[in-house]
Amino acid sequence: MEKTYSFAHIVVLALSVTATQVGHAQTGGMGGMDMKDMDMGMKKGADKKSDSKIHKGVGTVKKVDPAGGKVTIAHGPIPTMKWPAMNMTFTVKDKALLNKFSQDKKVEFEFVQQGSDYVITSAK
Ligand SMILES: [Cu+2]
């Protein structure tokens, strides 16, 4: 009798443990979502690094290098890059954009930073 009682007690314990585990499993699922959110947050951080913020500049074309797909521009200050006015060479994203540039032409342009390159994405 006492043995049977113990057995029943163990079954009840086992059931309640199982129920608790199920409860934890559900909570764990939500925890998993939290983790996913964290992963997404981390991914967002990584994207931020490669994500290309567009900067705008105005300047005068100094040189066009059609073969290299580059233009040298004497640009005014670019606050978004914390740049003062300077002469510098940009890479042109699309060679079709090159016809927007000719020596001594005044241009408004947009560019992104790609690693150590500055790539012009549009110009007018
Ligand atoms: Cu510059």
Side-chain angles (χ1 to χ4, degrees), residues 75 83 86 88:
H75 68 73
W83 281 351
M86 68 174 106
M88 66 182 287

Side-chain angles (χ1 to χ4, degrees), residues 73 75-76 78 83-90 111 118:
I73 300 175
H75 68 73
I78 299 176
W83 281 351
M86 68 174 106
N87 267 18
M88 66 182 287
T89 302
F90 292 87
F111 66 97
Y118 301 101

Side-chain angles (χ1 to χ4, degrees), residues 63-121:
K63 195 179 136 193
V64 182
D65 172 9
K70 292 180 196 300
V71 291
T72 303
I73 300 175
H75 68 73
I78 299 176
T80 54
M81 291 298 289
K82 296 189 175 125
W83 281 351
M86 68 174 106
N87 267 18
M88 66 182 287
T89 302
F90 292 87
T91 302
V92 176
K93 187 188 177 190
D94 184 341
K95 290 208 172 178
L97 268 176
L98 279 170
N99 61 27
K100 305 269 188 185
F101 299 91
S102 56
Q103 201 160 342
D104 297 326
K105 189 184 169 187
K106 234 191 152 199
V107 286
E108 288 174 45
F109 58 98
E110 294 180 339
F111 66 97
V112 296
Q113 181 170 6
Q114 286 182 0
S116 57
D117 274 352
Y118 301 101
V119 181
I120 292 180
T121 55

